[in-house]
Amino acid sequence: MEENEERKTLSPAQSAALFDLLSHHNVYSEIRDFRIPGSLKHYGPPFHVEEEKPSTSPALQGLVSKFLLNLPGLKDVPEEFWKVQLHDIIEGLERANLSESYDKGVVGTRKTVATAISALIEYPVRGTSGGFSKVQDPDPKYDLSKPEDLSKAFRNLMDASIYGTALDDLVAKTAQTDKLVDHEPLIQAAHEFVLVNIASFMHYALILSPKGQYLLKLVGNVNRLVPYVVIRQTLKIGNVATMINAMMKVVLAKMSVSTITNWIGLTSGEDQGMNLMQSIISTVLHWDNRDLESRASKIESDKAAALSKDQLHCLKEYVEKSREEQDEIRRQSQQTSISIVISIFAFSSLPTDLSEATHTLALEYLNVQLSIRDRKQLIQSLCHSSPDHVTTTVRVAVSAYEPVIRNVHKAVDLSDTVSDFEAFLGDMLKISKIQDETSIPTVGDFVALLKKHQYSCHKFLHQVCKNGKELTGWYLEWAKEAASHFRRETAHSDAKIRDAGDLTAPLNDLFSKLSAEQQNRILPILDRQIKYIDEMHASSHKRLEAVLTSPPSKNPIIAKIIASSANSRPSSRSSSPAPSEKGTQTPKISPSGPSSDPGPGAYLSRWQDLLDNTPITPLSPSGKVEKASGKAVVKGSTKDVNGEQLVELPDGKTGVEKVRERVSGEGSTSGKPDVRIVVEAMGQDFRSLLAARGVYW
């Protein structure tokens, strides 16, 4: 009995591990809940509010309340912006019943984006819930070539922003200079740390993730349709009110046959035209559907496919079934260890005896039909909905942001800023395109890309801080308030002690309510989680060191882009050359060649973990449920909408495997523990804890 009583108290490190894994799973669970209509009913501010009733999505709602609702400009939008326009847009997407990766047999684009977002925002969720421990004795010396110094600088800057005056000091210095080298060593080192991590995220998202090259293609297609010349010319208009009105006409003016006939009085029906933004969305998705429909036609006309017309029709019908019917078919597939295709045929009493080749083709056909429907639903929800909440949302937001826009227009040459952005995006698209299997872009290439264009950002911030004192004051106050949410309420806060911060005691209370048997099963898992977190961060540190010592790219195309001037922009503008930034010079070179390995960031491992745990239908007629990390699933996920393989890494290893190797391999003794027992026992109580602490209405 005494032993059980002792086990009811977690050590500080165990509390931290419990906080880490519960928040990791809860954030993604809240994001997943947005698949189901009605998720906003009990969300809380700024949507439907029931007095003193906690939010059903406390982690996400907390971030919105702490960082968005008080944002300059956004805080002035009317109540209808949230409760009508955004509410109806989100509910429309929920009712669309967009497809699941499980049914497709591959990792979907939305799954990739959702897991990435979840892996990133779980950090501020932990920071605002548990608090950021105070650094007692910050070391002011930093070497930009040492990974430990960069990590230390970021930590110290966070501490100085939360508990000190770093934000005021940074704004004051930025108003004086646009040169990074003029800033304090702390800022230079923290800037380098952030830049390398952004490059690491870009590299993983666009190069190593299964959907990376497809996402790049989407960005490229959108970029082709943006009328940069018109936008730049419009932004040059001196009168702010005239400029805003002109931009609204460029972006939101609708044009269709019904627009014209209504205007001349021939008809009086509802205008079904699309504005520029909606036209771009619709066009890009229509391009995808054209290729997808071509793939579907080839499968339908393939006489050797052995798929009957009834079977093809059945698969086509499945995508239009209700959410409840699809869930039931999916449940049967998982429980009986058969593929979704076989489960669909069985549900409709069709023959289920398929060869491997026929089954593979049937699964591809289902994937294509689901992809076509998804895009049609997105076009309907965002471009053809009635009333048009998307257009109204943009108009309302621009109206609320008019004071901000006026100040920015006075402080900065916005036309110049758009040119800088266009140049950066163009270079990013060129660098990120995998030309062949022997010239895969590295993290170092993305670091070089960001350093090439960083002056554009520095210049913009300098001009805003120097010429827009009122605007700077608004955002400085917001930033200081945002930083205050990371302060710990506990009297003694020491960064050397690992715990769950303000949630240490509440988590211990939750743990004490478990049965002795549950506690005895959970404690060893928490100990393994502690080791896993340590190894995950040690691995990230090694990858940071590898990036800092990586050689320049040997790819001639990438080398040429990086070597070209950052000011190689459209001829409609000119600017002085960017100054040399001594604080961001290229570090020492490693004797080994460039590597396409992932860069630093523990969030990559967390992202990979969420993908790993994504269930995928068996790829054979019968078998165990697959995981998104499987090679066959990853290979299928890298296909373009036209069926062509977008990329195949030369060593045959996926980005997911590369990250896992560096967490579970190379001397690792633990690997990631199976935490399902912990989540099942404490997951709901943890969400209730966050919800109760987050109620302020």
Side-chain angles (χ1 to χ4, degrees):
M1 183 68 180
E2 290 181 2
E3 184 180 353
N4 288 339
E5 288 296 328
E6 290 176 2
R7 286 182 178 275
K8 290 182 180 179
T9 301
L10 298 169
S11 69
Q14 287 173 330
S15 299
L18 180 61
F19 185 26
D20 182 276
L21 70 87
L22 287 178
S23 59
H24 173 66
H25 285 270
N26 179 70
V27 169
Y28 184 59
S29 176
E30 289 187 21
I31 292 175
R32 285 275 295 165
D33 287 346
F34 278 96
R35 297 172 299 123
I36 305 168
S39 65
L40 297 178
K41 186 176 181 181
H42 304 294
Y43 185 89
F47 300 104
H48 187 66
V49 179
E50 293 180 280
E51 189 173 348
E52 296 185 358
K53 186 166 185 178
S55 171
T56 50
S57 302
L60 300 182
Q61 195 282 329
L63 294 184
V64 170
S65 292
K66 292 180 175 74
F67 304 117
L68 287 185
L69 296 186
N70 57 350
L71 193 66
L74 198 58
K75 66 181 180 181
D76 297 320
V77 297
E79 197 173 90
E80 291 75 16
F81 176 84
W82 301 102
K83 294 187 175 181
V84 178
Q85 279 92 44
L86 273 183
H87 179 277
D88 287 0
I89 290 172
I90 294 172
E91 284 232 318
L93 292 172
E94 291 174 344
R95 289 194 300 269
N97 188 25
L98 301 176
S99 65
E100 293 278 344
S101 291
Y102 182 90
D103 296 351
K104 290 184 169 183
V106 297
V107 180
T109 305
R110 285 178 295 106
K111 174 68 68 176
T112 302
V113 174
T115 50
I117 292 172
S118 178
L120 289 173
I121 67 174
E122 67 178 80
Y123 286 93
V125 167
R126 278 194 291 274
T128 54
S129 300
F132 190 91
S133 55
K134 187 171 178 57
V135 178
Q136 300 297 335
D137 300 303
D139 187 345
K141 298 178 181 178
Y142 307 100
D143 184 338
L144 297 187
S145 65
K146 293 182 178 180
E148 58 271 17
D149 281 14
L150 300 189
S151 301
K152 178 179 66 177
F154 180 74
R155 172 92 193 175
N156 290 347
L157 179 60
M158 286 288 292
D159 179 80
S161 299
I162 296 168
Y163 296 104
T165 61
L167 292 174
D168 293 283
D169 299 340
L170 180 59
V171 167
K173 192 67 176 179
T174 303
Q176 297 173 12
T177 180
D178 59 4
K179 299 178 180 64
L180 178 61
V181 70
D182 292 338
H183 283 267
E184 296 296 322
L186 169 66
I187 301 300
Q188 294 184 40
H191 180 284
E192 186 78 357
F193 180 84
V194 172
L195 184 144
V196 172
N197 273 272
I198 292 174
S200 176
F201 180 81
M202 291 173 65
H203 175 262
Y204 191 85
L206 298 175
I207 306 301
L208 296 184
S209 72
K211 284 295 181 184
Q213 290 297 288
Y214 173 70
L215 287 171
L216 186 71
K217 176 186 171 183
L218 281 183
V219 174
N221 286 341
V222 170
N223 189 55
R224 287 164 54 191
L225 297 173
V226 175
Y228 286 108
V229 174
V230 175
I231 291 173
R232 283 197 298 270
Q233 292 300 320
T234 305
L235 291 174
K236 287 181 179 179
I237 298 173
N239 184 279
V240 181
T242 305
M243 184 274 289
I244 293 175
N245 288 334
M247 277 301 300
M248 293 291 282
K249 289 180 180 179
V250 170
V251 177
L252 297 181
K254 295 190 174 188
M255 183 58 65
S256 69
V257 174
S258 58
T259 304
I260 299 172
T261 56
N262 284 352
W263 180 69
I264 62 178
L266 294 177
T267 62
S268 58
E270 190 172 318
D271 187 1
Q272 295 297 320
M274 292 186 290
N275 59 47
L276 173 65
M277 183 174 61
Q278 292 170 323
S279 295
I280 290 175
I281 294 172
S282 177
T283 300
V284 170
L285 295 179
H286 272 307
W287 285 344
D288 275 3
N289 270 355
R290 180 185 59 195
D291 290 335
L292 289 165
E293 286 166 357
S294 176
R295 281 176 69 187
S297 297
K298 288 179 181 178
I299 295 174
E300 290 168 352
S301 60
D302 187 352
K303 296 181 179 179
L307 282 169
S308 68
K309 288 184 178 180
D310 287 342
Q311 288 173 322
L312 290 170
H313 182 68
C314 179
L315 293 174
K316 211 168 184 177
E317 274 191 335
Y318 173 78
V319 305
E320 300 295 344
K321 286 185 181 295
S322 67
R323 186 188 305 271
E324 292 72 25
E325 287 180 301
Q326 289 183 349
D327 286 344
E328 176 59 25
I329 293 172
R330 200 175 295 123
R331 186 182 63 80
Q332 288 292 333
S333 167
Q334 294 172 339
Q335 289 186 348
T336 58
S337 297
I338 58 175
S339 83
I340 189 69
V341 168
I342 301 301
S343 185
I344 291 170
F345 289 162
F347 188 81
S348 299
S349 302
L350 290 175
T352 58
D353 185 17
L354 303 181
S355 66
E356 288 285 344
T358 303
H359 175 269
T360 299
L361 204 61
L363 185 57
E364 180 183 357
Y365 186 76
L366 177 61
N367 177 13
V368 168
Q369 292 299 331
L370 288 167
S371 299
I372 291 173
R373 183 185 180 278
D374 283 348
R375 286 158 176 79
K376 287 181 177 179
Q377 289 296 314
L378 288 173
I379 293 171
Q380 178 61 40
S381 296
L382 300 177
C383 306
H384 297 305
S385 63
S386 180
D388 184 1
H389 288 305
V390 172
T391 299
T392 304
T393 297
V394 176
R395 289 189 187 278
V396 172
V398 170
S399 178
Y401 268 89
E402 185 169 339
V404 174
I405 296 171
R406 285 180 178 275
N407 278 272
V408 173
H409 186 267
K410 292 177 183 177
V412 181
D413 182 351
L414 290 175
S415 177
D416 182 90
T417 302
V418 170
S419 293
D420 289 336
F421 176 76
E422 182 185 7
F424 167 74
L425 197 57
D427 281 353
M428 187 201 75
L429 291 169
K430 293 174 186 175
I431 283 180
S432 304
K433 180 68 176 177
I434 298 178
Q435 304 296 331
D436 54 60
E437 296 180 359
T438 62
S439 58
I440 298 174
T442 67
V443 178
D445 294 331
F446 284 91
V447 170
L449 169 70
L450 293 176
K451 288 186 176 181
K452 173 184 174 181
H453 290 279
Q454 67 180 359
Y455 177 66
S456 299
C457 182
H458 298 165
K459 179 181 62 176
F460 176 84
L461 293 174
H462 166 65
Q463 291 174 342
V464 169
C465 292
K466 180 182 178 181
N467 304 322
K469 298 295 184 182
E470 184 180 24
L471 176 67
T472 303
W474 295 342
Y475 279 93
L476 177 59
E477 286 305 311
W478 171 82
K480 289 161 71 173
E481 183 182 349
S484 70
H485 292 301
F486 291 91
R487 292 175 188 160
R488 287 197 174 182
E489 298 174 1
T490 49
H492 301 287
S493 174
D494 190 345
K496 296 178 182 178
I497 299 176
R498 181 198 296 186
D499 59 15
D502 294 336
L503 288 188
T504 301
L507 285 175
N508 268 283
D509 289 341
L510 292 184
F511 185 74
S512 67
K513 295 175 183 177
L514 300 176
S515 67
E517 181 185 359
Q518 287 177 307
Q519 291 178 359
N520 291 335
R521 296 176 68 186
I522 287 175
L523 283 172
I525 296 175
L526 297 182
D527 291 335
R528 290 196 294 273
Q529 180 74 5
I530 293 171
K531 293 180 181 178
Y532 170 72
I533 293 172
D534 289 340
E535 290 167 356
M536 182 168 58
H537 287 290
S539 168
S540 176
H541 181 84
K542 288 181 181 179
R543 301 200 301 270
L544 174 59
E545 184 176 25
V547 172
L548 294 177
T549 58
S550 63
S553 176
K554 294 181 179 180
N555 185 323
I557 297 176
I558 294 177
K560 182 178 180 181
I561 295 170
I562 298 302
S564 65
S565 169
N567 297 309
S568 298
R569 304 182 181 113
S571 58
S572 60
R573 65 175 297 276
S574 62
S575 67
S576 58
S580 173
E581 298 283 20
K582 295 179 181 179
T584 58
Q585 59 191 0
T586 304
K588 59 185 179 181
I589 301 302
S590 167
S592 61
S595 167
S596 64
D597 287 345
Y603 53 83
L604 297 183
S605 301
R606 300 182 189 279
W607 185 3
Q608 167 253 312
D609 175 63
L610 292 173
L611 286 174
D612 266 1
N613 288 286
T614 299
I616 300 291
T617 179
L619 302 183
S620 299
S622 61
K624 293 182 179 179
V625 173
E626 296 276 353
K627 286 189 175 181
S629 58
K631 280 192 175 182
V633 176
V634 171
K635 186 174 182 179
S637 303
T638 58
K639 285 185 178 181
D640 198 356
V641 288
N642 61 9
E644 294 180 2
Q645 204 77 31
L646 281 171
V647 61
E648 194 163 328
L649 296 180
D651 59 5
K653 293 178 181 176
T654 67
V656 169
E657 290 174 313
K658 287 173 180 286
V659 173
R660 189 189 298 107
E661 281 181 354
R662 284 147 184 78
V663 174
S664 302
E666 299 183 356
S668 171
T669 57
S670 61
K672 188 182 187 309
D674 186 345
V675 299
R676 284 177 294 182
I677 295 174
V678 185
V679 175
E680 289 170 3
M682 303 185 69
Q684 190 56 50
D685 289 337
F686 177 74
R687 183 181 292 199
S688 298
L689 170 65
L690 293 183
R693 290 171 62 89
V695 174
Y696 65 89
W697 53 89

